[in-house]
Amino acid sequence: MTRIDDTFARLKTQNQKAFVAYIMAGDTDYDTSLEVLQGLPDAGVDIIELGVPFTDPMADGSTIQLAGQRALAGGQTLTKTLQIATKFRETNQTTPIVLMGYYNPIYSMGVDTFLTAASEAGIDGLIIVDLPPEEDVELCLPAQEAGLNFIRLATPTSDAARLPKVLQNTSGFVYYVSMTGVTGSAAVQAVDVKPEVDRIKASTDLPVIVGFGVKTPEAARDIAAIADGTVVGSAIVERIGRGDAPADVLSFVKTLADAAHS
Amino acid sequence: MTELFNSFMNGPDENGRFGDFGGRFVSETLMPLILELEAQYENAKTDDSFWAEMHDLWTHYVGRPSPLYFAERMTEALGGAKIYLKRDELNHTGAHKINNVLGQIILARRMGKTRIIAETGAGQHGVATATVCAKFGLKCVVYMGAHDVERQAPNVFRMRLLGAEVVPVTSGRGTLKDAMNDALRDWVTNVRDTFYCIGTVAGPHPYPAMVRDFQSIIGKETREQMDAAEGRLPDTVIASIGGGSNAMGLFYPFLDDESVNIIGVEAGGKGVNAKMEHCASLTGGRPGVLHGNRTYLLQDDDGQILEGFSISAGLDYPGIGPEHAWLHDIGRAQYVSITDKEALEAFKFSCEREGIIPALEPSHALAHVMKIAPELPKDHLLVMNMCGRGDKDIFTVARAFGFDMSGPEGRTFE
């Protein structure tokens, strides 16, 4: 059982949907991202996705790309991202952190070194966008052995033939990407996503969380209602990027979390 | 199928790997598309009608076979090996790029795709893609780094004349790798009608193998032509490498001929040293994962990708095809680097000695020929792939030589 499994068990007894928030580590600088991170649980965030900056984020839209560039310009690295998580764990032992990013920084550090460091830093799961099931031996299987969840993205192109492959070796939860596109794309409608979520839930006992294109409290409420929870990333990152104070960012996050929990 | 036990020509394996390199490192949205492409390509590969169409267009549209030309005055000047140039710069659109584009577009048509996207650096792959799309009446969108759009204005205009939409890419630093990122973002968004036509032997499986197969016509012809001219195999084959498609096309048919030396020439920019102002992924990089494959990459200690630097926009890419990475590691091919300055010398040498204005990319290969040919015996047969013509580069070269062609710095003729 990871913190992720515990969180979903708790939410189930409370009959509540999960609210997942994404921020980029080191954006706009190390201290700002740490301050926002530390405030997320009190703002109602159930699971934190902590972005690892990468120069070539091919699955992200411009909002997340720019966040990564700001972080890298400030000297953020994978090592410093794990440091931020370590710092967070000094005061919080319950809220799960999922690292989200691309494989090369991890490969560059070395998979074994990374997994040891990530476990020590209190990381609970990984979403590595450019590691499909075909490359499971790279990181997915070693990560699960190290006790981390490996969370897979399911997409509109994950048809009946493909879905079993996507669900195999996934753990923690399934992240359903609501559209074909990059992060921060146009808003999605719950009514369009529901049949897809139902289709995935019919094939797995894992919770299904929906992200991509969820920008407002209303959308968070509607999308959470048809799934086990929802993720908001770009809308939060945009506020951080334009220089909103951490307190203001967190009060926006709270409106999203309250809506998703309603 | 008969397989040579120790053949170097059997790769990639079913996971798209050449040794440890290659693979399919893409987001889940793209996986079904890549698997579909692989299945369709496997099918086309053994379909005679597919190759009949290719050969018909290679002959009548591209102008193949390209000549294998004995460069007598170069040979004389260097005083050693007998130098042959494979004249792929004579192809329609002026480079080897169209060999591959034709294959991918015919495949796209077979798959019912109506919209073609491509990335381009110097613009040669973009022009080739726009050309073949015009020929078949397909919608074409080319992603090009904003920086390259500026420095390759003639090719941008060519693409627009041919009806393509050229999208300047401002994300990241606006170069070829960013153009590839944006092409992938387009593909992930428009999965149903769009075919991504990759210009080099990189990207997720099956692209490296597929592009190599289409470019292998270069090496196959060279083999036959050398046999006709000299009655034997060449002793050395040399080609320049950015992503590595012209080189892979020349090398592949010779991989199992032990007597043939294979040399790839990377762009050394201002010099391969700690300042990293070069594009020599093999001689100055280390293995990593980018754009769907594991290969040698220019990167920092954190695994962040570095920008390359080269006078040649076509070699300005921080990675290299995975098959080259493998050939490098097992030692079947040798990889060297050539600086901007050396390439410019070779550019001049080709103009003056043979009346051939080469592109800056093959000028790198020629510069290495100039280094090694004098030391080789006169009966040593050396083939260099003249993979592109230099029309697109005359402005860059003029600037580098301090030659003011049109008044204000950087202005070009209308």
Side-chain angles (χ1 to χ4, degrees):
Chain A
M1 290 285 276
T2 65
R3 287 187 195 90
I4 295 172
D5 302 326
D6 292 342
T7 297
F8 280 107
R10 170 181 62 81
L11 287 166
K12 195 166 185 187
T13 60
Q14 295 170 341
N15 196 23
Q16 221 170 40
K17 301 301 173 81
F19 179 68
V20 183
Y22 171 101
I23 63 167
M24 174 68 78
D27 177 33
T28 54
D29 55 38
Y30 185 96
D31 293 335
T32 304
S33 67
L34 177 59
E35 192 179 338
V36 174
L37 182 70
Q38 287 172 327
L40 290 176
D42 283 346
V45 172
D46 300 302
I47 297 172
I48 296 165
E49 282 181 15
L50 186 59
V52 181
F54 182 51
T55 39
D56 295 83
M58 62 178 186
D60 284 301
S62 61
T63 304
I64 306 285
Q65 281 180 61
L66 290 170
Q69 285 176 28
R70 287 191 295 269
L72 291 171
Q76 189 66 23
T77 59
L78 177 54
T79 303
K80 284 188 183 170
T81 301
L82 294 174
Q83 278 168 18
I84 288 182
T86 306
K87 196 80 189 156
F88 174 86
R89 281 278 170 257
E90 285 175 10
T91 53
N92 180 308
Q93 291 298 321
T94 52
T95 309
I97 299 181
V98 175
L99 284 188
M100 184 161 182
Y102 296 81
Y103 185 39
N104 200 52
I106 293 170
Y107 181 72
S108 174
M109 179 182 278
V111 166
D112 291 345
T113 309
F114 165 75
L115 288 174
T116 305
S119 300
E120 280 171 7
I123 301 297
D124 304 285
L126 305 172
I127 300 177
I128 306 301
V129 184
D130 51 355
L131 285 177
E134 279 71 9
E135 305 293 349
D136 271 357
V137 292
E138 294 280 335
L139 181 65
C140 171
L141 300 179
Q144 313 243 37
E145 248 171 64
L148 296 178
N149 286 134
F150 197 88
I151 295 131
R152 195 96 72 192
L153 304 180
T155 74
T157 60
S158 309
D159 58 15
R162 179 73 187 161
L163 195 56
K165 183 109 182 166
V166 174
L167 296 173
Q168 186 192 3
N169 295 335
T170 192
S171 65
F173 59 92
V174 176
Y175 185 136
Y176 181 68
V177 175
S178 64
M179 63 177 74
T180 58
V182 293
T183 54
S185 302
V188 290
Q189 298 297 320
V191 62
D192 298 327
V193 180
K194 187 173 187 306
E196 294 294 291
V197 173
D198 291 346
R199 180 170 71 86
I200 292 164
K201 286 191 73 68
S203 309
T204 179
D205 293 332
L206 289 170
V208 177
I209 303 296
V210 177
F212 281 44
V214 185
K215 296 164 186 290
T216 61
E218 297 70 38
R221 181 197 59 211
D222 294 349
I223 296 288
I226 54 112
D228 296 304
T230 189
V231 190
V232 178
S234 295
I236 299 169
V237 170
E238 200 174 295
R239 282 169 168 77
I240 296 172
R242 73 184 185 200
D244 284 15
D248 294 334
V249 173
L250 291 167
S251 63
F252 173 64
V253 172
K254 189 164 187 324
T255 63
L256 294 166
D258 288 349
H261 290 147
S262 67
Chain B
M1 221 163 88
T2 54
E3 279 189 8
L4 282 169
F5 185 66
N6 275 326
S7 176
F8 294 112
M9 296 172 71
N10 291 339
D13 67 16
E14 70 278 9
N15 297 314
R17 299 295 182 99
F18 301 92
D20 200 29
F21 300 102
R24 301 183 186 95
F25 297 88
V26 295
S27 59
E28 178 55 34
T29 309
L30 292 181
M31 266 317 296
L33 281 74
I34 283 166
L35 294 173
E36 167 72 6
L37 175 63
E38 184 184 341
Q40 294 278 352
Y41 176 56
E42 285 304 315
N43 181 280
K45 217 164 76 173
T46 51
D47 180 345
D48 290 343
S49 71
F50 176 80
W51 289 107
E53 191 176 358
M54 285 286 282
H55 278 283
D56 181 61
L57 288 165
W58 271 340
T59 305
H60 300 105
Y61 192 66
V62 177
R64 302 211 71 94
S66 68
L68 182 70
Y69 166 70
F70 171 46
E72 199 171 355
R73 293 193 68 235
M74 273 187 188
T75 301
E76 198 182 279
L78 296 173
K82 202 167 176 185
I83 299 161
Y84 281 87
L85 303 177
K86 178 61 174 164
R87 302 287 306 276
D88 252 53
E89 100 279 12
L90 294 175
N91 293 340
H92 182 39
T93 70
H96 67 288
K97 291 290 185 188
I98 198 165
N99 299 335
N100 158 53
V101 169
L102 271 180
Q104 289 198 47
I105 304 279
I106 292 171
L107 192 58
R109 278 162 49 86
R110 284 167 69 108
M111 292 171 72
K113 303 289 182 182
T114 52
R115 182 174 174 272
I116 308 296
I117 58 171
E119 83 294 335
T120 198
Q124 290 305 106
H125 175 59
V127 168
T129 307
T131 297
V132 180
C133 285
K135 188 201 148 27
F136 285 113
L138 295 165
K139 188 171 163 43
C140 177
V141 180
V142 179
Y143 289 89
M144 187 169 186
H147 179 58
D148 290 333
V149 166
E150 246 172 75
R151 64 174 169 173
Q152 303 286 338
N155 271 344
V156 174
F157 185 55
R158 271 182 203 117
M159 287 185 266
R160 288 181 172 148
L161 277 177
L162 293 160
E165 180 192 345
V166 180
V167 183
V169 174
T170 52
S171 69
R173 292 190 203 162
T175 59
L176 177 56
K177 83 173 171 70
D178 302 303
M180 197 149 179
N181 290 334
D182 266 22
L184 285 163
R185 289 181 185 115
D186 179 312
W187 203 22
V188 100
T189 307
N190 301 293
V191 296
R192 316 237 177 252
D193 65 344
T194 297
F195 185 100
Y196 183 14
C197 180
I198 294 185
T200 192
V201 285
H205 180 64
Y207 282 99
M210 179 171 70
V211 176
R212 173 202 67 198
D213 292 346
F214 293 148
Q215 291 293 2
S216 291
I217 187 71
I218 300 171
K220 280 180 206 152
E221 286 175 5
T222 300
R223 225 185 146 88
E224 285 167 20
Q225 291 165 323
M226 187 55 96
D227 190 55
E230 301 275 357
R232 65 182 181 91
L233 288 171
D235 297 303
T236 298
V237 293
I238 296 190
S240 63
I241 298 189
S245 69
N246 95 80
M248 214 52 244
L250 176 63
F251 297 171
Y252 185 68
F254 295 108
L255 289 180
D256 283 339
D257 299 294
E258 262 180 70
S259 67
V260 180
N261 295 315
I262 298 176
I263 305 176
V265 183
E266 295 191 286
K270 294 180 183 171
V272 181
N273 53 38
K275 280 162 78 185
M276 297 300 269
E277 289 173 310
H278 62 82
C279 295
S281 320
L282 286 178
T283 37
R286 63 191 168 88
V289 173
L290 178 71
H291 293 153
N293 58 148
R294 176 169 20 240
T295 188
Y296 277 76
L297 299 172
L298 302 182
Q299 54 184 320
D300 69 12
D301 292 341
D302 187 42
Q304 304 297 337
I305 309 305
L306 299 173
E307 295 291 327
F309 180 89
S310 168
I311 191 168
S312 150
L315 304 180
D316 205 345
Y317 180 70
I320 186 167
E323 194 164 7
H324 286 296
W326 175 67
L327 292 171
H328 168 76
D329 271 19
I330 62 170
R332 175 61 188 101
Q334 180 197 352
Y335 294 86
V336 297
S337 71
I338 282 293
T339 64
D340 287 354
K341 201 165 162 273
E342 292 167 324
L344 282 164
E345 287 301 316
F347 181 97
K348 252 174 94 175
F349 180 71
S350 176
C351 294
E352 292 169 1
R353 278 279 160 178
E354 294 292 347
I356 295 171
I357 301 177
L360 283 168
E361 292 81 11
S363 297
H364 284 72
L366 183 58
H368 192 67
V369 170
M370 290 165 70
K371 279 188 182 174
I372 63 171
E375 311 301 323
L376 294 167
K378 288 192 190 303
D379 61 351
H380 189 99
L381 302 178
L382 189 154
V383 178
M384 188 209 105
N385 193 15
M386 183 59 81
C387 63
R389 67 177 86 126
D391 308 41
K392 70 182 174 61
D393 293 317
I394 54 174
F395 303 101
T396 307
V397 173
R399 246 193 321 275
F401 286 143
F403 191 86
D404 190 355
M405 278 201 300
S406 55
E409 178 76 4
R411 287 281 169 77
T412 57
F413 295 111
E414 262 317 301

